[in-house]
Amino acid sequence: MSTSTNTPVKIYLVDDHEIVRRGLAEVLSQDGRCEVIGDSGSAVEAIARIPALRPDVAVLDGRLGDGSGMDVCREVRSIDPHIHCVILTSYDDDEAMMQAILAGAQAYVLKQIRGNELVDVVLRVAAGENLLDDGAAREVRDRIAATDISHHPALEELTEQERRVLLLVADGMTNRQIAGELFLAEKTVKNYITSILAKLGLGSRTQAAVLVERLRTHALSAPNVRNLA
């Protein structure tokens, strides 16, 4: 990451108004600590270009003509999690904030922010800080972990017992711990995991855990995120 004082932080801008992108570029580039390396006016273009250019920070408009900054954030970070995202929006509402947290953004700021404050936010995010409210983020993570996906269509090929095993794998349990939890032999658990990975087309239990987190996140965000606030 380009976070030293000698190397400008590389920024990519996404807003569906050209004049806004120009203004943001001027504000962010004025003191030399940030360098705007690209911009887009649509979600589709941004999702295609950002991973290729690999900016340190993508500053994303909350609402776009063909999607949202949260959509772009989610897609970009699924490709390259090292790219940090700041959601810049005119709308201060709980639903958008929760969507930003779910998408993996590191900051959610209103467009009324002063230029020097936005520069500070971008630099802090580039340095690895997460500026989203810790309490809200913790609540979302807890709700993700508690989201029931045992009957999700993506897991329909698994037996009920295999689904139980999969969810315990996702919770970080070892084979021995799962065996104790489900009153099974450790070898039986190993056989279940082998079957689960084969049915889901996965190569490791880590991939299985990532899949479960992704399904839980999508289930939580899809349709009632406002009710979480």
Side-chain angles (χ1 to χ4, degrees), residues 11-65:
I11 310 296
Y12 193 98
L13 302 174
V14 181
D15 194 289
D16 52 5
H17 294 93
E18 181 183 3
I19 193 68
V20 173
R21 298 199 303 273
R22 289 185 179 183
L24 287 172
E26 182 177 349
V27 166
L28 291 169
S29 304
Q30 61 187 352
D31 68 0
R33 290 182 294 171
C34 298
E35 176 189 3
V36 177
I37 63 170
D39 65 86
S40 297
S42 72
V44 170
E45 182 182 0
I47 291 168
R49 294 191 64 201
I50 292 174
L53 290 176
R54 299 193 68 192
D56 299 313
V57 180
V59 179
L60 311 170
D61 188 7
R63 297 187 182 183
L64 299 164

Side-chain angles (χ1 to χ4, degrees), residues 138-148 216 220 227-229:
R138 190 179 307 111
E139 179 185 355
V140 171
R141 287 193 294 268
D142 289 345
R143 289 179 180 267
I144 289 173
T147 300
D148 182 15
R216 284 171 168 167
L220 180 59
N227 294 335
L228 302 178

Side-chain angles (χ1 to χ4, degrees), residues 216-228:
R216 284 171 168 167
T217 299
H218 288 174
L220 180 59
S221 63
N224 294 315
V225 83
R226 179 182 294 277
N227 294 335
L228 302 178

Side-chain angles (χ1 to χ4, degrees), residues 181-212:
E181 179 74 16
L182 299 179
F183 304 101
L184 299 171
E186 192 171 343
K187 182 177 180 180
T188 302
V189 172
K190 183 177 180 180
N191 290 338
Y192 272 127
I193 293 175
T194 299
S195 176
I196 291 166
L197 297 179
K199 288 181 178 180
L200 297 178
L202 302 174
S204 68
R205 62 194 297 138
T206 299
Q207 291 180 353
V210 169
L211 172 64
V212 169

